[in-house]
Amino acid sequence: MVLTYLMDIPALQSDPTSEADRTVVRDPLPTQGSLDFRVIELFFFAYREFTGDADEILIRYGFGRAHHRVLHFVNRDPGLTIAELLDILQITKQSLSRVLRQLLDESFICQIPGDEDRRQRRLYPTQKGRALAVELSEAQVRRIESALAKTSDEDMRPIAAFLKAMASDRESAREWFERKDISWKDPE
Amino acid sequence: MVLTYLMDIPALQSDPTSEADRTVVRDPLPTQGSLDFRVIELFFFAYREFTGDADEILIRYGFGRAHHRVLHFVNRDPGLTIAELLDILQITKQSLSRVLRQLLDESFICQIPGDEDRRQRRLYPTQKGRALAVELSEAQVRRIESALAKTSDEDMRPIAAFLKAMASDRESAREWFERKDISWKDPE
DNA sequence: TAAATAGGTCAGCACCATTGACGTAATTTC
DNA sequence: GAAATTACGTCAATGGTGCTGACCTATTTA
């Protein structure tokens, strides 16, 4: 009669899922039922193609998406500090370090101590880093321009407004949009 | 005089980057120069928030994005085969296996042999799997509806057209949109 | 009966992210 | 001027997601 005290402890069962929960569901979630899946799925497939363009190029350099993101923002905002970059990317410094190390070692990026605060290691692209950033962006812009080929300036407004509304929960994103004037307020 | 034959082989240098390539670049890539970065960056920040909503929920279940994607498409198209799922997700069966194994072991999904072809293991959600899929989609739909709150039916057209054009390079995506009627052709 | 197909699995590897702990140099604060 | 804070670097361990390659079973098809 040893160990009978273990018998009724649910945590020791391998799978606590009830019979009801295991019931097979055969009907699909409809495209437009109580939930509308259209934008969810369009967004998923669209973003996959969007990143795929750059991914193909990155492979040739032995890099991944993380390298791309760092290279992108360093080129868009040369002289930014590590802290600013971490804030934009929303990752930890340990995550950044490996990726940044490679970009530094291979001379796509360089570090220059801050003038006022010499603890800072401000990040700048090299010519080589600039060239790669441009190559990557060209690929993405090609897809975007192709997708927007038949879009009027008028129709561009709701598209930008939608993306901006999706993105603007986070202060760091709002601040970036403001500082870099990401808007369609007055095209000409 | 041993090993002098190694001296002029570029591949043996630790860093073949030229001095010119190493030159520091201090000017930022402008938002709207020869390349327009606005959509690129809006898309990046928007997608990060979009996936973040689901990520928070998934952590509570010990799952990641890969689990979400499998669960999503199994719920949207119950009875699909492994091959069909791989085609939609564009991954290898080895990548799928770990993730699918967990969803099966924890009874979020179940497999039923095909009626005509008994080699197939068609995938169906359980009640439990359906509940989680709905929970995840509700979070994403909340953000989307909030972002589209002030958008007219009229303005929805260009948004959908843009996303669809971005996504439709791949046959598997086009086929999905068609079969699941992902469109805004006639709202009412 | 032999070949092709649907799927499963094992092993090993790469990439990208995490937390936690510890170190160094520069700046601020008291 | 000493102490605390800040900016950044790094080491170690872990988890999730993808890959290739190889090999396996069961079933269907030729």
Side-chain angles (χ1 to χ4, degrees):
Chain A
M1 277 303 145
V2 186
L3 293 182
T4 50
Y5 64 88
L6 288 174
M7 286 188 344
D8 282 322
I9 302 173
L12 290 176
Q13 294 172 215
S14 63
D15 186 348
T17 305
S18 73
E19 282 306 309
D21 281 350
R22 276 186 227 268
T23 306
V24 178
V25 174
R26 287 195 149 79
D27 58 306
L29 282 171
T31 300
Q32 298 178 67
S34 64
L35 293 169
D36 188 331
F37 288 95
R38 294 178 297 174
V39 173
I40 288 180
E41 286 166 8
L42 284 172
F43 216 50
F44 166 69
F45 288 114
Y47 196 75
R48 190 172 67 184
E49 297 306 308
F50 171 68
T51 56
D53 295 330
D55 288 347
E56 284 179 30
I57 296 167
L58 289 160
I59 286 172
R60 299 208 304 269
Y61 291 82
F63 291 151
R65 277 185 207 175
H67 302 84
H68 184 186
R69 290 195 284 268
V70 171
L71 194 61
H72 177 90
F73 285 104
V74 169
N75 271 278
R76 284 280 285 145
D77 198 22
L80 47 41
T81 64
I82 299 288
E84 287 165 350
L85 184 55
L86 292 177
D87 188 48
I88 287 170
L89 297 180
Q90 291 287 126
I91 57 174
T92 60
K93 64 177 175 177
Q94 294 92 328
S95 297
L96 175 61
S97 79
R98 226 176 298 105
V99 166
L100 183 57
R101 182 82 269 135
Q102 289 177 269
L103 290 167
L104 290 167
D105 287 348
E106 299 180 39
S107 296
F108 288 88
I109 283 177
C110 66
Q111 287 179 317
I112 300 179
D115 283 343
E116 295 159 21
D117 188 337
R118 286 179 5 241
R119 288 172 305 181
Q120 297 172 339
R121 283 93 195 267
R122 291 177 175 273
L123 302 171
Y124 294 86
T126 60
Q127 294 275 25
K128 190 180 171 188
R130 169 59 55 94
L132 179 51
V134 168
E135 183 184 358
L136 290 163
S137 295
E138 277 171 348
Q140 298 189 301
V141 165
R142 256 196 302 279
R143 177 175 299 272
I144 290 167
E145 285 186 347
S146 158
L148 293 174
K150 294 169 186 167
T151 306
S152 63
D153 284 0
E154 191 71 6
D155 284 349
M156 201 52 229
R157 293 288 301 278
I159 294 171
F162 164 67
L163 291 175
K164 207 164 180 175
M166 289 285 287
S168 295
D169 249 34
R170 216 175 288 268
E171 168 61 22
S172 60
R174 284 199 302 275
E175 197 270 339
W176 179 266
F177 295 152
E178 179 125 358
R179 189 155 64 84
K180 289 295 182 180
D181 194 29
I182 308 292
S183 70
W184 273 258
K185 295 282 154 44
D186 29 34
E188 61 264 77
Chain B
M1 276 306 146
V2 187
L3 293 183
T4 50
Y5 63 89
L6 287 175
M7 287 189 344
D8 282 322
I9 301 173
L12 290 176
Q13 293 171 218
S14 62
D15 188 347
T17 306
S18 73
E19 282 306 310
D21 281 350
R22 275 186 227 268
T23 307
V24 179
V25 174
R26 288 194 149 78
D27 58 305
L29 282 171
T31 300
Q32 298 177 68
S34 64
L35 292 169
D36 188 331
F37 288 95
R38 293 178 297 175
V39 174
I40 288 180
E41 287 166 7
L42 284 172
F43 216 51
F44 166 69
F45 288 114
Y47 195 75
R48 189 173 67 184
E49 297 305 309
F50 172 68
T51 56
D53 295 330
D55 288 345
E56 283 179 30
I57 296 167
L58 290 161
I59 285 172
R60 299 208 303 268
Y61 292 82
F63 290 151
R65 280 186 205 175
H67 302 84
H68 184 186
R69 290 194 283 268
V70 171
L71 195 61
H72 177 91
F73 286 105
V74 169
N75 271 278
R76 283 280 285 145
D77 198 22
L80 46 41
T81 65
I82 299 289
E84 287 164 349
L85 184 55
L86 293 177
D87 188 48
I88 287 170
L89 297 180
Q90 291 287 128
I91 57 174
T92 61
K93 65 177 176 178
Q94 295 93 328
S95 297
L96 175 62
S97 79
R98 229 179 295 106
V99 166
L100 183 57
R101 183 81 268 138
Q102 290 177 269
L103 291 167
L104 290 167
D105 287 347
E106 300 181 37
S107 298
F108 288 88
I109 284 177
C110 65
Q111 287 179 317
I112 299 179
D115 284 341
E116 295 158 21
D117 189 337
R118 284 178 9 240
R119 290 172 303 180
Q120 296 171 340
R121 282 93 196 267
R122 290 179 176 273
L123 302 170
Y124 294 87
T126 60
Q127 294 275 24
K128 190 181 172 187
R130 170 59 56 94
L132 179 52
V134 168
E135 183 185 359
L136 290 163
S137 295
E138 277 171 347
Q140 298 189 302
V141 165
R142 255 197 302 279
R143 177 175 299 272
I144 290 168
E145 285 185 348
S146 159
L148 293 174
K150 294 169 187 168
T151 308
S152 64
D153 284 0
E154 190 72 7
D155 284 350
M156 201 52 228
R157 294 288 301 277
I159 295 171
F162 164 67
L163 291 175
K164 207 164 181 175
M166 289 285 288
S168 295
D169 250 33
R170 214 174 290 268
E171 168 61 22
S172 60
R174 284 198 303 273
E175 198 270 337
W176 179 266
F177 295 151
E178 179 126 358
R179 189 155 64 83
K180 290 295 183 180
D181 194 29
I182 307 292
S183 71
W184 272 258
K185 294 283 153 43
D186 28 34
E188 61 266 75

